[in-house]
Amino acid sequence: MLVFVAILLTLAPAAFILWPFVFGPKRSEFEYEEGSEQADLMMRWEAAAAGLAGAELDHALGNLSTQDYEAMNRQLLSEAASTMAEMELSEDEEERMLSSLREEVSSARARVEGA
């Protein structure tokens, strides 16, 4: 019985220590190995999405003129479209990414309108 308790006291901490390594967090759906072409494309996509949300926010706050906003918006939308074309995604993946982009931009707009 004493041996059983000793083994149990040894294995329990080992299981707690090894648990995150064996059953750790799952990789994100759009996460790619660093330095890969897909990771670079995702970084370009995220930069374009953040730029669009930032431009929307700045325009809504009055920090960006309408003319500058439209020029920046065209440029960032062009960058996002070319990045998405290079990603060679399925239609479902494209729709999810576009939906996410729409939500981010509308969220930026709603923050200003709600304030």
Side-chain angles (χ1 to χ4, degrees):
M1 184 63 155
L2 186 60
V3 173
F4 177 72
V5 172
I7 291 173
L8 185 62
L9 289 174
T10 304
L11 290 179
F16 285 118
I17 291 170
L18 293 176
W19 185 270
F21 296 107
V22 177
F23 302 104
K26 304 296 182 226
R27 295 186 75 177
S28 171
E29 180 180 358
F30 295 119
E31 187 176 307
Y32 297 97
E33 193 171 313
E34 202 170 311
S36 71
E37 182 180 347
Q38 287 294 337
D40 293 339
L41 290 171
M42 281 306 297
M43 286 180 14
R44 284 178 43 200
W45 170 263
E46 290 169 2
L52 285 165
E56 183 71 33
L57 183 63
D58 284 343
H59 179 64
L61 288 172
N63 296 338
L64 195 61
S65 70
T66 301
Q67 184 179 10
D68 290 340
Y69 167 74
E70 290 172 355
M72 186 179 285
N73 201 26
R74 274 193 305 274
Q75 179 185 6
L76 291 168
L77 284 173
S78 174
E79 175 66 24
S82 68
T83 300
M84 187 177 282
E86 289 179 43
M87 287 179 163
E88 300 174 355
L89 301 171
S90 69
E91 287 183 29
D92 290 340
E93 291 172 324
E94 284 182 6
E95 186 56 39
R96 279 187 285 164
M97 290 181 77
L98 288 173
S99 175
S100 170
L101 179 61
R102 281 187 215 105
E103 288 174 17
E104 191 171 336
V105 170
S106 65
S107 171
R109 185 180 307 131
R111 282 183 290 204
V112 172
E113 291 174 353

